[in-house]
């Protein structure tokens, strides 16, 4: 009878240890089994596109908001020279 009690005690101890180990495993990463940034299935991670090289301007005046994005191959000066007359007309409209 003593052997049965010892065996049950050891078995209960092993079950408790297994429960503690399972409770301490980290949750799976967000985005499914592939983790964040992985594409569908098991393919390589999907990288975001490279940032644009063109200049960007954001202007706000009261309720008006203007977002200007220059072409990647234009210089900032060429871009401003091209949109300058349009901005002047917008300023005159106020």
């Amino acid at each position: 009878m003593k052997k049965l009690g010892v065996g049950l005690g050891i078995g209960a101890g092993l079950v408790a240890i297994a429960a503690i180990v399972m409770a301490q495993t980290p949750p799976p990463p967000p985005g499914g089994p592939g983790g964040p940034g992985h594409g569908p299935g098991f393919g390589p991670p999907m990288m975001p596109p490279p940032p644009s090289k063109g200049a960007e301007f954001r202007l706000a005046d009261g309720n008006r908001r203007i977002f200007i994005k220059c072409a990647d191959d234009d210089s900032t000066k060429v871009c401003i020279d091209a949109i300058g007359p349009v901005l002047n007309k917008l300023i005159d409209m106020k």
Side-chain angles (χ1 to χ4, degrees), residues 28-75:
H38 284 329
F42 297 102
M46 295 171 55
M47 300 300 292
S52 174
K53 295 179 183 178
E56 294 179 0
F57 301 96
R58 296 173 194 267
L59 308 169
D61 180 22
N63 291 332
R64 297 187 298 180
R65 287 184 235 167
I66 301 169
F67 175 70
I68 300 165
K69 181 173 179 335
C70 303
D72 289 347
D73 56 345
D74 282 347
S75 70

Side-chain angles (χ1 to χ4, degrees), residues 23-39:
Q24 293 179 353
T25 56
H38 284 329

Side-chain angles (χ1 to χ4, degrees), residues 1-93:
M1 192 65 158
K2 220 179 211 186
K3 289 182 182 180
L4 180 63
V6 172
L8 288 176
I10 292 174
L14 290 175
V15 169
I17 291 173
I20 291 171
V21 169
M22 287 178 61
Q24 293 179 353
T25 56
H38 284 329
F42 297 102
M46 295 171 55
M47 300 300 292
S52 174
K53 295 179 183 178
E56 294 179 0
F57 301 96
R58 296 173 194 267
L59 308 169
D61 180 22
N63 291 332
R64 297 187 298 180
R65 287 184 235 167
I66 301 169
F67 175 70
I68 300 165
K69 181 173 179 335
C70 303
D72 289 347
D73 56 345
D74 282 347
S75 70
T76 304
K77 181 172 179 0
V78 170
C79 182
I80 292 296
D81 289 343
I83 63 169
V86 175
L87 290 176
N88 288 334
K89 285 185 181 181
L90 286 172
I91 291 170
D92 292 340
M93 285 176 35

